[in-house]
Structures are given as C-alpha cells and as structure tokens.
Amino acid sequence: MERQWFLESIAADGSHVTYNITHLPFRVGRDPENDLVVATLGLSRHHALLTPDISGRIRLTDMNSTNGSFVNRRRIEGSCLLDENDIVHFGTAEFRLRIRVSDQTRILSASDMHTMLVPNGMALSELFVPNEAEFLALLDGHGMSGAAQPIVEAHTGKIYAYELLGRANHPLLPVSPIRLFELASALDREVELSVAFRKFGIAALAPHLRGYPLFANTHPKETFSEEFFKSVVSLRRDMPDLDLVIEIHETAVTEPDRLKELAARFRDIGVRFAYDDFGAGQARLNELGEAPAHFVKFDMGLLHDIHLASERKRRVVRDLVKLVLDLGSVPLAEGIEMEAEAEICREMGFQLIQGFLTGKPIPADKLFAPT
C-alpha cells in the first residue's frame, strides 16, 4: 500500500482542489519560496510548517503567524499532531488533511506476463522497502550509533542532564532518527528500533556520562506494554546507579488511569519520567494533573521565536509554566537556539533548557574519545 498525505480545499466554484504533500518538512505561507503558496489576505509570509513525527503522523507548527493556525477550528499555540480528516485553517484559508491509499498489488495470469513499457508520468509502485536488509542489520547492532545532548540549568548554564539520541552510521541508511522511524514504520518495526536505540544509549553512552540523569526516549506503541516495563526493570537491575528518566511521547499521554499505574510502577523501581512535546495545541492538562510527571518538556514549536511572539502567546506559555510548577513538575524548554529565546524562558519560570544554544548533540565517537 502506498500512502500519500495531501491537503484538500474547496474552490469558489465548489470544486475540490488537492495539494500533495510530496515531502516533509512542508512549508505554507504567502512567500513564493513556500511549498504551498496561499495568496490569501491574512496569511503570514512564513505561516506554518508541516513535519514528520516519530508516531508516523504529521505535526503542524504555527510559525508565530499574525492571524494564527487552527485545527478543527481551535487555534493552536506552538504545534500539534494532525489526524486524517482534520480541518486546518491557515489564517482564513481552509483545508482538510487527507490520505490517499492505493493498492498497487495485482496477481498476473500467465497471458498477462508480457514485457510492458511504462508510460511517462506513471508513478512507480513501492511494494518493497529499500535497504530493508541494512535496516534489519541495524536492529542487530550493526551500524548503530547515538549522541547525547546536554540539558542545562536555566539560570546557571550548568549541565544538569543529558538526553540520549539514536543515530545510524551505515552509509546506506539515513542518519536522522525521524527518517529511520519512517523506514521502521514501513516494516512495522518501530518498537524494535526504539528498543535498539535505548539499549545502545544506555550500554555505550551512559558509562561516559556518570553522575548525570539520562533522558531516554520511547515510542508510543511500546509505552504501556509489559515488555517495555520489564526492559526498564532489567536496566535498573543491571545498572542500579543509573539515574534514568523515561520520556513519554505526547500521543501516549491520553489515558490517565494507565498513566497513573505506569507512574506508580516507575516510582517503585526508582525511575523518573517526563512528558515530551508538551504544548498548548494538545496540552493534555487533565493527564498532567492526574499523573504529574517529574519533568515536562515544552514543545519547541511553542517556544520558537518566543521573544518575537505576541503578548497573548507569551501569556499562554507563562500560564502553562506556572501550572507545571504548581503541580510539582520541572518545566524544561526544548529547541532553544537564541539567547533572546532563553532570556524569555527564564523570565517565564523555566528551570531547564535544552537546545543548540546550550549544547548541540555530542556524537558517540566524541564521547568515546579521551578528554
């Protein structure tokens, strides 16, 4: 099956117009350099950005537009994940997100098996996954690599912790974890990739980062599985001094009862957890109150150019930070690239900062090298 995301709009004459999302990131705005140029009154030059998410869905980020982006007629601040058939407004321009699925499999009879020429413009089928053998070898540890990104104290700049990040160093595989998870999704092996990244990070990187809490990512498909919890228990047994923080992806933060149970089980084995990609678009305020996390990582889309954002948006973020603090959680600002952004975050009450400003991911080979 071939999946093609596209945006659908309705023209003035009532006809439906489609815009294929041929690649991600996919930029929307008034400026001609965007992937989708919408010459509509009220759109900003660089209005919104569509990017891939580890869950296989599309993430919409509003780029601090003047008139906002809306999902199902509710304004978002920062970013949120989109589902098929969501109604999206960029300013006043209305679209619906759709998926086109085509089944290109067909059993040929003997009489059909002739040499055929492919007409110009005919799309090639995608029945096999390229580099499948190399990907399966990666799951076995061949070509597996990683990096560690510092998380610093907001006011002192002192390193507080590191986040473990998965990478590949195979010449035929993408380095980016998002691209690797897209490949894993095509093979229905997202959980196996998540486990492999985590095992590599803990086994290979953790010994070089002693004394610091280590944040480890999870895939939403594995969060509530018994196998996942047993793997965390095994890590704690093998490395009792490891200060582990498990990051819970936002798509898994939807069931308060299961979250409370998981939080209690983590507490019993001495593991802390963090909510990842927390943002006003899908803030999960109910879950945050029912099962407070030790750390709340604010979505980078919410904080991008926060120093240039409207007072309305700053007030939304400031109120969320206060709520997190009142619940006893530690607010962490993700994706900070400029000192002006960091300064606003400090004023808002963020206690931790992560981003290129305070430290880029350190590749595994640099960690292995003697200091």
Side-chain angles (χ1 to χ4, degrees), residues 68-354:
S69 299
F70 302 76
V71 176
N72 298 323
R73 296 180 173 80
R74 294 183 61 182
R75 183 166 184 160
I76 69 166
E77 302 289 353
S79 76
C80 74
L81 292 173
L82 299 178
D83 289 308
E84 183 182 8
N85 294 320
D86 276 347
I87 297 171
V88 180
H89 282 79
F90 305 112
T92 58
E94 183 178 16
F95 298 85
R96 181 169 57 174
L97 182 67
R98 304 291 301 276
I99 299 177
R100 182 185 297 112
V101 180
S102 59
D103 185 353
Q104 301 188 23
T105 61
R106 186 168 71 92
I107 299 176
L108 297 178
S109 65
S111 60
D112 288 331
M113 294 182 182
H114 304 299
T115 300
M116 294 178 290
L117 297 177
V118 179
N120 290 334
M122 178 176 287
L124 298 178
S125 63
E126 298 181 7
L127 307 179
F128 297 99
V129 178
N131 305 119
E132 179 176 355
E134 290 80 9
F135 178 79
L136 296 179
L138 178 72
L139 295 182
D140 288 333
H142 304 289
M144 181 67 67
S145 188
Q149 185 172 25
I151 296 171
V152 309
E153 296 176 357
H155 291 280
T156 68
K158 179 181 177 182
I159 295 178
Y160 171 81
Y162 286 90
E163 179 180 353
L164 303 178
L165 304 169
R167 298 286 189 270
N169 60 11
H170 194 290
L172 297 180
L173 292 176
V175 175
S176 162
I178 285 291
R179 301 304 176 197
L180 287 168
F181 271 105
E182 288 176 354
L183 183 55
S185 177
L187 296 168
D188 195 25
R189 297 204 166 195
E190 303 100 309
V191 171
E192 292 174 67
L193 180 60
S194 179
V195 171
F197 277 157
R198 196 162 52 246
K199 283 185 175 179
F200 178 88
I202 300 292
L205 305 184
H208 300 270
L209 302 170
R210 295 186 185 277
Y212 294 101
L214 299 181
F215 285 61
N217 289 285
T218 60
H219 191 275
K221 283 189 175 182
E222 66 177 323
T223 307
F224 298 115
S225 71
E226 194 61 31
E227 291 76 11
F228 165 66
F229 185 74
K230 287 180 179 178
S231 71
V232 176
V233 170
S234 178
L235 285 174
R236 293 292 294 135
R237 183 179 60 249
D238 296 340
M239 304 179 71
D241 296 330
L242 179 67
D243 189 353
L244 184 62
V245 180
I246 295 293
E247 295 195 19
I248 305 297
H249 189 270
E250 106 176 74
T251 55
V253 186
T254 56
E255 302 177 58
D257 290 338
R258 299 185 77 183
L259 271 175
K260 285 191 290 186
E261 179 183 353
L262 183 62
R265 298 181 77 181
F266 278 156
R267 183 173 59 249
D268 291 342
I269 62 172
V271 169
R272 293 184 288 176
F273 70 101
Y275 287 152
D276 197 14
D277 293 328
F278 180 79
Q282 293 186 10
R284 307 298 186 197
L285 299 180
N286 182 51
E287 290 82 356
L288 189 66
E290 290 288 334
H294 298 87
F295 303 90
V296 177
K297 303 185 76 173
F298 277 63
D299 171 36
M300 64 180 67
L302 194 64
L303 302 175
H304 175 73
D305 280 346
I306 190 65
H307 60 298
L308 302 177
S310 65
E311 181 53 38
R312 174 188 178 278
K313 179 172 180 177
R314 291 195 199 184
R315 184 168 60 252
V316 168
V317 178
R318 189 178 294 111
D319 289 345
L320 287 172
V321 172
K322 183 179 184 303
L323 172 64
V324 167
L325 289 168
D326 288 345
L327 290 170
S329 302
V330 175
L332 187 161
E334 273 196 295
I336 303 304
E337 299 182 352
M338 295 178 284
E339 177 57 36
E341 293 172 329
E343 184 58 34
I344 295 296
C345 287
R346 296 186 194 103
E347 293 175 4
M348 289 179 169
F350 280 99
Q351 296 178 343
L352 298 174
I353 288 177
Q354 180 179 2

Side-chain angles (χ1 to χ4, degrees), residues 27-34 43-49 61-66 69:
R27 294 169 174 82
V28 181
R30 200 178 70 248
D31 195 286
E33 69 183 27
N34 289 286
L43 250 75
S44 297
R45 292 179 61 248
H46 303 284
H47 197 98
L49 180 68
T61 300
D62 182 82
M63 304 301 289
N64 281 324
S65 64
T66 302
S69 299

